[in-house]
Amino acid sequence: MEELYGKMAEGLIAADVEGVSKLVQEGLDKNLSAKEILDNGLIPGMDIVGQRMKSGEMFIPEVLRSAKVMQGAIVLLKPHLSEEDSCGLGTVVIGTVEGDLHDIGKNLVSMMLQGSGFNVVDLGTNVKPQDFVEAAKSNKAHILGMSALLTTTMPKMEETVRALKESGIRDQIKIMAGGAPVTQKFVDDIEADGYGANAASASEVAKELII
Ligand code: B1M
């Protein structure tokens, strides 16, 4: 099986949509579980993509193509992921804050979280603090994730933390924030719980937050 998993990872890095779909189907036909395929083939591939992005060996358009292949593979695997596998780690409500329309990084983070076993409720972009609160409540979220790419929209993160406090659910949820202008210091200052510098570290931080 190692060879099949290796090919899946290579196909993901090369953004080979058809190749990866075929390999995932081959794995399912060989009775591999969706979780095994994710854990041993696709996620290690996505980890390499994340590392190459960090070191400047891969650029955003290539990363997005790989992310799209990952998303396609997840669609194929979704019917085979048991309730326990896909939601095992908990629910994350995620969105880009009010006034901000950047969603490429947030979508990558969503996919990585999904790939890691979280149930992800993606609210999209331009999400008002109150809408984050309502979605966190109605989905009984374990983690609330906010993304911001503009220095002008970062204050919306603090407003959202305040809205969560005012709603009385702050103590029941972990708050994560990220995006190019966001720093660990900013996250500490607004009294959020976790900072993700990139999609790969975001899923690591999310796992740490719920342990
Ligand atoms: Co805009 N934009 N943009 N933009 N844009 C930036 C952010 C900017 C830095 C460009 C620049 O001037 N150098 C600048 C912001 C300056 C600032 O505030 N300091 C800027 C500006 C000014 C603007 C407009 C105001 C331009 C204008 O209209 N005059 C406007 C604002 C619109 C709005 O939002 N209201 C605008 C518009 C746009 C487009 C629509 C054209 C497009 C967005 C398309 C889309 O997202 N669908 C766009 C783009 C593409 C960019 C740049 C070029 C690329 C952003 C991106 O996708 N990066 C950006 C310059 C740059 O960053 N180099 C820029 C790739 C992505 C994978 O990285 O989003 O950082 P990133 O996500 C990473 C991490 O940050 C982290 O993980 C991700 C994956 O590794 N992460 C999280 C993100 N969210 C996280 C959440 C987490 C954890 C980690 O936990 C929950």
PDB file of all heavy atoms in Angstrom, residues 53 60 99-105 108-109 145-147 149-151 176-180 196-199 202, ligand 1:
ATOM      1  N   MET A  53       5.471  25.484   0.207  1.00  0.00           N
ATOM      2  CA  MET A  53       4.944  26.847   0.133  1.00  0.00           C
ATOM      3  C   MET A  53       5.755  27.736   1.091  1.00  0.00           C
ATOM      4  O   MET A  53       6.143  28.847   0.756  1.00  0.00           O
ATOM      5  CB  MET A  53       3.474  26.807   0.542  1.00  0.00           C
ATOM      6  CG  MET A  53       2.749  28.101   0.493  1.00  0.00           C
ATOM      7  SD  MET A  53       1.007  27.699   0.792  1.00  0.00           S
ATOM      8  CE  MET A  53       0.522  29.066   1.780  1.00  0.00           C
ATOM      9  N   ILE A  60       1.613  30.361  -4.863  1.00  0.00           N
ATOM     10  CA  ILE A  60       0.176  30.309  -4.578  1.00  0.00           C
ATOM     11  C   ILE A  60      -0.662  29.614  -5.671  1.00  0.00           C
ATOM     12  O   ILE A  60      -1.481  28.760  -5.336  1.00  0.00           O
ATOM     13  CB  ILE A  60      -0.384  31.732  -4.301  1.00  0.00           C
ATOM     14  CG1 ILE A  60       0.312  32.343  -3.079  1.00  0.00           C
ATOM     15  CG2 ILE A  60      -1.880  31.724  -4.087  1.00  0.00           C
ATOM     16  CD1 ILE A  60       0.207  31.535  -1.801  1.00  0.00           C
ATOM     17  N   GLY A  99     -16.089  42.950   6.395  1.00  0.00           N
ATOM     18  CA  GLY A  99     -15.375  43.967   5.627  1.00  0.00           C
ATOM     19  C   GLY A  99     -14.238  43.396   4.796  1.00  0.00           C
ATOM     20  O   GLY A  99     -13.624  44.110   4.005  1.00  0.00           O
ATOM     21  N   ASP A 100     -13.971  42.108   4.951  1.00  0.00           N
ATOM     22  CA  ASP A 100     -12.831  41.471   4.286  1.00  0.00           C
ATOM     23  C   ASP A 100     -13.315  40.373   3.338  1.00  0.00           C
ATOM     24  O   ASP A 100     -14.078  39.486   3.752  1.00  0.00           O
ATOM     25  CB  ASP A 100     -11.919  40.862   5.382  1.00  0.00           C
ATOM     26  CG  ASP A 100     -10.501  40.659   4.901  1.00  0.00           C
ATOM     27  OD1 ASP A 100     -10.326  40.286   3.723  1.00  0.00           O
ATOM     28  OD2 ASP A 100      -9.575  40.872   5.696  1.00  0.00           O
ATOM     29  N   LEU A 101     -12.860  40.470   2.065  1.00  0.00           N
ATOM     30  CA  LEU A 101     -13.337  39.512   1.061  1.00  0.00           C
ATOM     31  C   LEU A 101     -12.284  38.484   0.675  1.00  0.00           C
ATOM     32  O   LEU A 101     -12.515  37.664  -0.212  1.00  0.00           O
ATOM     33  CB  LEU A 101     -13.787  40.278  -0.193  1.00  0.00           C
ATOM     34  CG  LEU A 101     -14.867  41.340   0.052  1.00  0.00           C
ATOM     35  CD1 LEU A 101     -15.171  42.118  -1.226  1.00  0.00           C
ATOM     36  CD2 LEU A 101     -16.155  40.684   0.577  1.00  0.00           C
ATOM     37  N   HIS A 102     -11.123  38.531   1.307  1.00  0.00           N
ATOM     38  CA  HIS A 102     -10.062  37.568   0.970  1.00  0.00           C
ATOM     39  C   HIS A 102     -10.435  36.190   1.519  1.00  0.00           C
ATOM     40  O   HIS A 102     -10.693  36.059   2.715  1.00  0.00           O
ATOM     41  CB  HIS A 102      -8.731  38.006   1.584  1.00  0.00           C
ATOM     42  CG  HIS A 102      -8.211  39.294   1.017  1.00  0.00           C
ATOM     43  ND1 HIS A 102      -8.614  40.508   1.484  1.00  0.00           N
ATOM     44  CD2 HIS A 102      -7.337  39.538   0.011  1.00  0.00           C
ATOM     45  CE1 HIS A 102      -7.997  41.463   0.804  1.00  0.00           C
ATOM     46  NE2 HIS A 102      -7.215  40.908  -0.105  1.00  0.00           N
ATOM     47  N   ASP A 103     -10.429  35.186   0.641  1.00  0.00           N
ATOM     48  CA  ASP A 103     -10.824  33.865   1.163  1.00  0.00           C
ATOM     49  C   ASP A 103      -9.903  32.720   0.762  1.00  0.00           C
ATOM     50  O   ASP A 103     -10.150  31.571   1.114  1.00  0.00           O
ATOM     51  CB  ASP A 103     -12.276  33.538   0.782  1.00  0.00           C
ATOM     52  CG  ASP A 103     -12.479  33.305  -0.702  1.00  0.00           C
ATOM     53  OD1 ASP A 103     -11.516  33.506  -1.472  1.00  0.00           O
ATOM     54  OD2 ASP A 103     -13.596  32.926  -1.086  1.00  0.00           O
ATOM     55  N   ILE A 104      -8.838  33.032   0.031  1.00  0.00           N
ATOM     56  CA  ILE A 104      -7.985  31.933  -0.460  1.00  0.00           C
ATOM     57  C   ILE A 104      -7.319  31.198   0.712  1.00  0.00           C
ATOM     58  O   ILE A 104      -7.386  29.971   0.811  1.00  0.00           O
ATOM     59  CB  ILE A 104      -6.932  32.480  -1.455  1.00  0.00           C
ATOM     60  CG1 ILE A 104      -7.665  33.054  -2.695  1.00  0.00           C
ATOM     61  CG2 ILE A 104      -5.956  31.386  -1.869  1.00  0.00           C
ATOM     62  CD1 ILE A 104      -6.772  33.780  -3.677  1.00  0.00           C
ATOM     63  N   GLY A 105      -6.717  31.958   1.606  1.00  0.00           N
ATOM     64  CA  GLY A 105      -6.056  31.348   2.768  1.00  0.00           C
ATOM     65  C   GLY A 105      -7.050  30.657   3.681  1.00  0.00           C
ATOM     66  O   GLY A 105      -6.809  29.538   4.147  1.00  0.00           O
ATOM     67  N   LEU A 108      -7.987  27.378   2.292  1.00  0.00           N
ATOM     68  CA  LEU A 108      -6.926  26.378   2.506  1.00  0.00           C
ATOM     69  C   LEU A 108      -6.976  25.846   3.936  1.00  0.00           C
ATOM     70  O   LEU A 108      -6.860  24.643   4.178  1.00  0.00           O
ATOM     71  CB  LEU A 108      -5.548  26.990   2.259  1.00  0.00           C
ATOM     72  CG  LEU A 108      -5.057  27.054   0.814  1.00  0.00           C
ATOM     73  CD1 LEU A 108      -3.729  27.798   0.758  1.00  0.00           C
ATOM     74  CD2 LEU A 108      -4.866  25.657   0.262  1.00  0.00           C
ATOM     75  N   VAL A 109      -7.161  26.776   4.880  1.00  0.00           N
ATOM     76  CA  VAL A 109      -7.229  26.369   6.291  1.00  0.00           C
ATOM     77  C   VAL A 109      -8.431  25.438   6.492  1.00  0.00           C
ATOM     78  O   VAL A 109      -8.314  24.389   7.145  1.00  0.00           O
ATOM     79  CB  VAL A 109      -7.314  27.609   7.223  1.00  0.00           C
ATOM     80  CG1 VAL A 109      -7.601  27.203   8.659  1.00  0.00           C
ATOM     81  CG2 VAL A 109      -6.022  28.411   7.150  1.00  0.00           C
ATOM     82  N   GLY A 145     -13.003  29.977  14.191  1.00  0.00           N
ATOM     83  CA  GLY A 145     -11.810  30.421  13.475  1.00  0.00           C
ATOM     84  C   GLY A 145     -12.086  31.665  12.650  1.00  0.00           C
ATOM     85  O   GLY A 145     -13.044  31.702  11.890  1.00  0.00           O
ATOM     86  N   MET A 146     -11.230  32.684  12.832  1.00  0.00           N
ATOM     87  CA  MET A 146     -11.405  33.925  12.070  1.00  0.00           C
ATOM     88  C   MET A 146     -10.170  34.186  11.218  1.00  0.00           C
ATOM     89  O   MET A 146      -9.047  34.003  11.675  1.00  0.00           O
ATOM     90  CB  MET A 146     -11.567  35.106  13.034  1.00  0.00           C
ATOM     91  CG  MET A 146     -12.806  35.057  13.870  1.00  0.00           C
ATOM     92  SD  MET A 146     -12.848  36.503  14.951  1.00  0.00           S
ATOM     93  CE  MET A 146     -11.691  36.046  16.238  1.00  0.00           C
ATOM     94  N   SER A 147     -10.422  34.651   9.982  1.00  0.00           N
ATOM     95  CA  SER A 147      -9.341  35.021   9.091  1.00  0.00           C
ATOM     96  C   SER A 147      -9.478  36.495   8.717  1.00  0.00           C
ATOM     97  O   SER A 147     -10.598  36.977   8.541  1.00  0.00           O
ATOM     98  CB  SER A 147      -9.422  34.139   7.830  1.00  0.00           C
ATOM     99  OG  SER A 147      -8.379  34.434   6.942  1.00  0.00           O
ATOM    100  N   LEU A 149      -7.205  39.525   6.250  1.00  0.00           N
ATOM    101  CA  LEU A 149      -6.036  39.843   5.420  1.00  0.00           C
ATOM    102  C   LEU A 149      -5.741  41.331   5.388  1.00  0.00           C
ATOM    103  O   LEU A 149      -4.729  41.761   4.839  1.00  0.00           O
ATOM    104  CB  LEU A 149      -6.272  39.337   3.978  1.00  0.00           C
ATOM    105  CG  LEU A 149      -5.718  37.968   3.581  1.00  0.00           C
ATOM    106  CD1 LEU A 149      -4.217  38.035   3.378  1.00  0.00           C
ATOM    107  CD2 LEU A 149      -6.034  36.921   4.606  1.00  0.00           C
ATOM    108  N   LEU A 150      -6.632  42.119   5.955  1.00  0.00           N
ATOM    109  CA  LEU A 150      -6.454  43.573   5.903  1.00  0.00           C
ATOM    110  C   LEU A 150      -6.220  44.107   7.307  1.00  0.00           C
ATOM    111  O   LEU A 150      -6.917  43.685   8.248  1.00  0.00           O
ATOM    112  CB  LEU A 150      -7.704  44.232   5.311  1.00  0.00           C
ATOM    113  CG  LEU A 150      -8.087  43.826   3.876  1.00  0.00           C
ATOM    114  CD1 LEU A 150      -9.463  44.383   3.519  1.00  0.00           C
ATOM    115  CD2 LEU A 150      -7.039  44.312   2.882  1.00  0.00           C
ATOM    116  N   THR A 151      -5.284  45.024   7.445  1.00  0.00           N
ATOM    117  CA  THR A 151      -5.066  45.623   8.772  1.00  0.00           C
ATOM    118  C   THR A 151      -6.338  46.341   9.229  1.00  0.00           C
ATOM    119  O   THR A 151      -6.618  46.400  10.423  1.00  0.00           O
ATOM    120  CB  THR A 151      -3.873  46.618   8.739  1.00  0.00           C
ATOM    121  OG1 THR A 151      -4.003  47.420   7.572  1.00  0.00           O
ATOM    122  CG2 THR A 151      -2.558  45.904   8.704  1.00  0.00           C
ATOM    123  N   MET A 176      -9.641  30.803  17.403  1.00  0.00           N
ATOM    124  CA  MET A 176      -8.396  30.806  16.637  1.00  0.00           C
ATOM    125  C   MET A 176      -8.422  31.934  15.630  1.00  0.00           C
ATOM    126  O   MET A 176      -9.481  32.214  15.062  1.00  0.00           O
ATOM    127  CB  MET A 176      -8.337  29.519  15.817  1.00  0.00           C
ATOM    128  CG  MET A 176      -7.336  28.533  16.259  1.00  0.00           C
ATOM    129  SD  MET A 176      -7.450  27.145  15.152  1.00  0.00           S
ATOM    130  CE  MET A 176      -6.335  27.653  13.894  1.00  0.00           C
ATOM    131  N   ALA A 177      -7.285  32.551  15.374  1.00  0.00           N
ATOM    132  CA  ALA A 177      -7.246  33.622  14.384  1.00  0.00           C
ATOM    133  C   ALA A 177      -5.995  33.500  13.532  1.00  0.00           C
ATOM    134  O   ALA A 177      -4.968  32.984  13.984  1.00  0.00           O
ATOM    135  CB  ALA A 177      -7.289  34.975  15.081  1.00  0.00           C
ATOM    136  N   GLY A 178      -6.107  33.957  12.286  1.00  0.00           N
ATOM    137  CA  GLY A 178      -4.956  33.931  11.392  1.00  0.00           C
ATOM    138  C   GLY A 178      -5.190  34.826  10.193  1.00  0.00           C
ATOM    139  O   GLY A 178      -6.231  35.460  10.071  1.00  0.00           O
ATOM    140  N   GLY A 179      -4.204  34.869   9.316  1.00  0.00           N
ATOM    141  CA  GLY A 179      -4.238  35.750   8.152  1.00  0.00           C
ATOM    142  C   GLY A 179      -2.947  36.541   8.127  1.00  0.00           C
ATOM    143  O   GLY A 179      -2.350  36.760   9.192  1.00  0.00           O
ATOM    144  N   ALA A 180      -2.541  36.973   6.942  1.00  0.00           N
ATOM    145  CA  ALA A 180      -1.203  37.579   6.791  1.00  0.00           C
ATOM    146  C   ALA A 180      -0.838  38.650   7.819  1.00  0.00           C
ATOM    147  O   ALA A 180       0.273  38.620   8.350  1.00  0.00           O
ATOM    148  CB  ALA A 180      -1.052  38.108   5.369  1.00  0.00           C
ATOM    149  N   GLY A 196      -2.704  30.675  13.995  1.00  0.00           N
ATOM    150  CA  GLY A 196      -2.176  29.813  12.947  1.00  0.00           C
ATOM    151  C   GLY A 196      -1.460  30.660  11.919  1.00  0.00           C
ATOM    152  O   GLY A 196      -2.054  31.551  11.315  1.00  0.00           O
ATOM    153  N   ALA A 197      -0.154  30.388  11.736  1.00  0.00           N
ATOM    154  CA  ALA A 197       0.612  31.183  10.768  1.00  0.00           C
ATOM    155  C   ALA A 197       0.310  30.751   9.343  1.00  0.00           C
ATOM    156  O   ALA A 197       0.395  31.532   8.406  1.00  0.00           O
ATOM    157  CB  ALA A 197       2.098  31.031  11.053  1.00  0.00           C
ATOM    158  N   ASN A 198      -0.055  29.474   9.175  1.00  0.00           N
ATOM    159  CA  ASN A 198      -0.395  28.973   7.835  1.00  0.00           C
ATOM    160  C   ASN A 198      -1.356  27.800   7.990  1.00  0.00           C
ATOM    161  O   ASN A 198      -1.694  27.414   9.118  1.00  0.00           O
ATOM    162  CB  ASN A 198       0.877  28.546   7.085  1.00  0.00           C
ATOM    163  CG  ASN A 198       1.701  27.585   7.907  1.00  0.00           C
ATOM    164  OD1 ASN A 198       1.192  26.596   8.421  1.00  0.00           O
ATOM    165  ND2 ASN A 198       2.968  27.900   8.072  1.00  0.00           N
ATOM    166  N   ALA A 199      -1.783  27.239   6.826  1.00  0.00           N
ATOM    167  CA  ALA A 199      -2.825  26.208   6.894  1.00  0.00           C
ATOM    168  C   ALA A 199      -2.358  24.966   7.657  1.00  0.00           C
ATOM    169  O   ALA A 199      -3.124  24.379   8.428  1.00  0.00           O
ATOM    170  CB  ALA A 199      -3.271  25.842   5.483  1.00  0.00           C
ATOM    171  N   ALA A 202      -2.232  25.760  11.276  1.00  0.00           N
ATOM    172  CA  ALA A 202      -3.588  25.994  11.793  1.00  0.00           C
ATOM    173  C   ALA A 202      -4.218  24.686  12.262  1.00  0.00           C
ATOM    174  O   ALA A 202      -4.858  24.632  13.318  1.00  0.00           O
ATOM    175  CB  ALA A 202      -4.458  26.657  10.738  1.00  0.00           C
TER     176      ALA A 202
HETATM  177 CO1  B1M B   1      -5.974  42.094  -1.499  1.00  0.00          CO
HETATM  178  N1  B1M B   1      -4.753  42.943  -0.233  1.00  0.00           N
HETATM  179  N2  B1M B   1      -7.130  43.680  -1.412  1.00  0.00           N
HETATM  180  N3  B1M B   1      -7.047  41.164  -2.798  1.00  0.00           N
HETATM  181  N4  B1M B   1      -4.623  40.847  -1.607  1.00  0.00           N
HETATM  182  C1  B1M B   1      -3.647  42.124   0.236  1.00  0.00           C
HETATM  183  C2  B1M B   1      -4.015  41.409   1.520  1.00  0.00           C
HETATM  184  C3  B1M B   1      -2.510  43.238   0.447  1.00  0.00           C
HETATM  185  C4  B1M B   1      -1.442  42.848   1.484  1.00  0.00           C
HETATM  186  C5  B1M B   1      -1.867  43.551  -0.933  1.00  0.00           C
HETATM  187  C6  B1M B   1      -0.843  44.659  -0.835  1.00  0.00           C
HETATM  188  O1  B1M B   1      -1.190  45.772  -0.875  1.00  0.00           O
HETATM  189  N5  B1M B   1       0.419  44.300  -0.706  1.00  0.00           N
HETATM  190  C7  B1M B   1      -3.346  44.445   0.859  1.00  0.00           C
HETATM  191  C8  B1M B   1      -3.616  44.626   2.355  1.00  0.00           C
HETATM  192  C9  B1M B   1      -2.801  45.723   2.966  1.00  0.00           C
HETATM  193  C10 B1M B   1      -3.059  45.789   4.418  1.00  0.00           C
HETATM  194  O2  B1M B   1      -4.138  45.864   4.888  1.00  0.00           O
HETATM  195  N6  B1M B   1      -1.970  45.748   5.146  1.00  0.00           N
HETATM  196  C11 B1M B   1      -4.618  44.201   0.070  1.00  0.00           C
HETATM  197  C12 B1M B   1      -5.557  45.212  -0.255  1.00  0.00           C
HETATM  198  C13 B1M B   1      -5.190  46.636   0.140  1.00  0.00           C
HETATM  199  C14 B1M B   1      -6.768  44.917  -0.924  1.00  0.00           C
HETATM  200  C15 B1M B   1      -7.878  45.900  -1.306  1.00  0.00           C
HETATM  201  C16 B1M B   1      -8.216  46.974  -0.264  1.00  0.00           C
HETATM  202  C17 B1M B   1      -7.423  46.519  -2.644  1.00  0.00           C
HETATM  203  C18 B1M B   1      -8.339  47.610  -3.156  1.00  0.00           C
HETATM  204  O3  B1M B   1      -9.453  47.335  -3.520  1.00  0.00           O
HETATM  205  N7  B1M B   1      -7.784  48.801  -3.149  1.00  0.00           N
HETATM  206  C19 B1M B   1      -9.072  44.961  -1.585  1.00  0.00           C
HETATM  207  C20 B1M B   1      -9.914  44.727  -0.329  1.00  0.00           C
HETATM  208  C21 B1M B   1     -11.163  43.958  -0.625  1.00  0.00           C
HETATM  209  C22 B1M B   1     -11.826  43.532   0.662  1.00  0.00           C
HETATM  210  O4  B1M B   1     -11.461  42.518   1.201  1.00  0.00           O
HETATM  211  N8  B1M B   1     -12.743  44.329   1.144  1.00  0.00           N
HETATM  212  C23 B1M B   1      -8.364  43.727  -1.994  1.00  0.00           C
HETATM  213  C24 B1M B   1      -8.877  42.768  -2.864  1.00  0.00           C
HETATM  214  C25 B1M B   1      -8.233  41.610  -3.282  1.00  0.00           C
HETATM  215  C26 B1M B   1      -8.773  40.653  -4.341  1.00  0.00           C
HETATM  216  C27 B1M B   1     -10.279  40.502  -4.344  1.00  0.00           C
HETATM  217  C28 B1M B   1      -8.306  41.163  -5.695  1.00  0.00           C
HETATM  218  C29 B1M B   1      -7.956  39.352  -4.049  1.00  0.00           C
HETATM  219  C30 B1M B   1      -8.689  38.393  -3.091  1.00  0.00           C
HETATM  220  C31 B1M B   1      -9.299  37.217  -3.817  1.00  0.00           C
HETATM  221  C32 B1M B   1      -9.827  36.193  -2.841  1.00  0.00           C
HETATM  222  O5  B1M B   1      -9.343  36.043  -1.742  1.00  0.00           O
HETATM  223  N9  B1M B   1     -10.825  35.480  -3.297  1.00  0.00           N
HETATM  224  C33 B1M B   1      -6.746  39.921  -3.319  1.00  0.00           C
HETATM  225  C34 B1M B   1      -5.535  39.211  -3.146  1.00  0.00           C
HETATM  226  C35 B1M B   1      -5.428  37.898  -3.891  1.00  0.00           C
HETATM  227  C36 B1M B   1      -4.495  39.698  -2.319  1.00  0.00           C
HETATM  228  C37 B1M B   1      -3.093  39.122  -2.126  1.00  0.00           C
HETATM  229  C38 B1M B   1      -2.298  39.439  -3.402  1.00  0.00           C
HETATM  230  C39 B1M B   1      -2.985  37.642  -1.860  1.00  0.00           C
HETATM  231  C40 B1M B   1      -3.785  37.137  -0.634  1.00  0.00           C
HETATM  232  C41 B1M B   1      -3.786  35.634  -0.630  1.00  0.00           C
HETATM  233  O6  B1M B   1      -4.707  34.996  -1.096  1.00  0.00           O
HETATM  234  N10 B1M B   1      -2.663  35.028  -0.193  1.00  0.00           N
HETATM  235  C42 B1M B   1      -2.589  39.937  -0.857  1.00  0.00           C
HETATM  236  C43 B1M B   1      -1.084  40.210  -0.905  1.00  0.00           C
HETATM  237  C44 B1M B   1      -0.320  39.099  -0.263  1.00  0.00           C
HETATM  238  O7  B1M B   1      -0.730  38.539   0.755  1.00  0.00           O
HETATM  239  N11 B1M B   1       0.792  38.774  -0.819  1.00  0.00           N
HETATM  240  C45 B1M B   1      -3.520  41.058  -0.800  1.00  0.00           C
HETATM  241  C46 B1M B   1      -2.468  33.613  -0.258  1.00  0.00           C
HETATM  242  C47 B1M B   1      -3.056  32.913   0.960  1.00  0.00           C
HETATM  243  C48 B1M B   1      -2.788  31.421   0.816  1.00  0.00           C
HETATM  244  O8  B1M B   1      -2.390  33.383   2.103  1.00  0.00           O
HETATM  245  O9  B1M B   1      -4.443  34.563   2.900  1.00  0.00           O
HETATM  246  O10 B1M B   1      -2.210  34.858   4.079  1.00  0.00           O
HETATM  247  P1  B1M B   1      -3.160  34.011   3.347  1.00  0.00           P
HETATM  248  O11 B1M B   1      -3.513  32.765   4.229  1.00  0.00           O
HETATM  249  C49 B1M B   1      -2.546  31.961   4.855  1.00  0.00           C
HETATM  250  C50 B1M B   1      -2.174  32.417   6.261  1.00  0.00           C
HETATM  251  O12 B1M B   1      -2.341  33.811   6.468  1.00  0.00           O
HETATM  252  C51 B1M B   1      -3.010  31.565   7.162  1.00  0.00           C
HETATM  253  O13 B1M B   1      -3.081  30.339   6.444  1.00  0.00           O
HETATM  254  C52 B1M B   1      -3.235  30.620   5.058  1.00  0.00           C
HETATM  255  C53 B1M B   1      -2.686  29.483   4.262  1.00  0.00           C
HETATM  256  O14 B1M B   1      -1.350  29.210   4.547  1.00  0.00           O
HETATM  257  N12 B1M B   1      -4.371  31.914   7.532  1.00  0.00           N
HETATM  258  C54 B1M B   1      -4.931  31.426   8.677  1.00  0.00           C
HETATM  259  C55 B1M B   1      -5.310  32.646   6.893  1.00  0.00           C
HETATM  260  N13 B1M B   1      -6.437  32.651   7.582  1.00  0.00           N
HETATM  261  C56 B1M B   1      -6.247  31.900   8.686  1.00  0.00           C
HETATM  262  C57 B1M B   1      -7.103  31.561   9.749  1.00  0.00           C
HETATM  263  C58 B1M B   1      -6.594  30.752  10.763  1.00  0.00           C
HETATM  264  C59 B1M B   1      -5.282  30.294  10.735  1.00  0.00           C
HETATM  265  C60 B1M B   1      -4.440  30.616   9.701  1.00  0.00           C
HETATM  266  O15 B1M B   1      -7.318  30.364  11.812  1.00  0.00           O
HETATM  267  C61 B1M B   1      -8.705  30.511  11.795  1.00  0.00           C
END
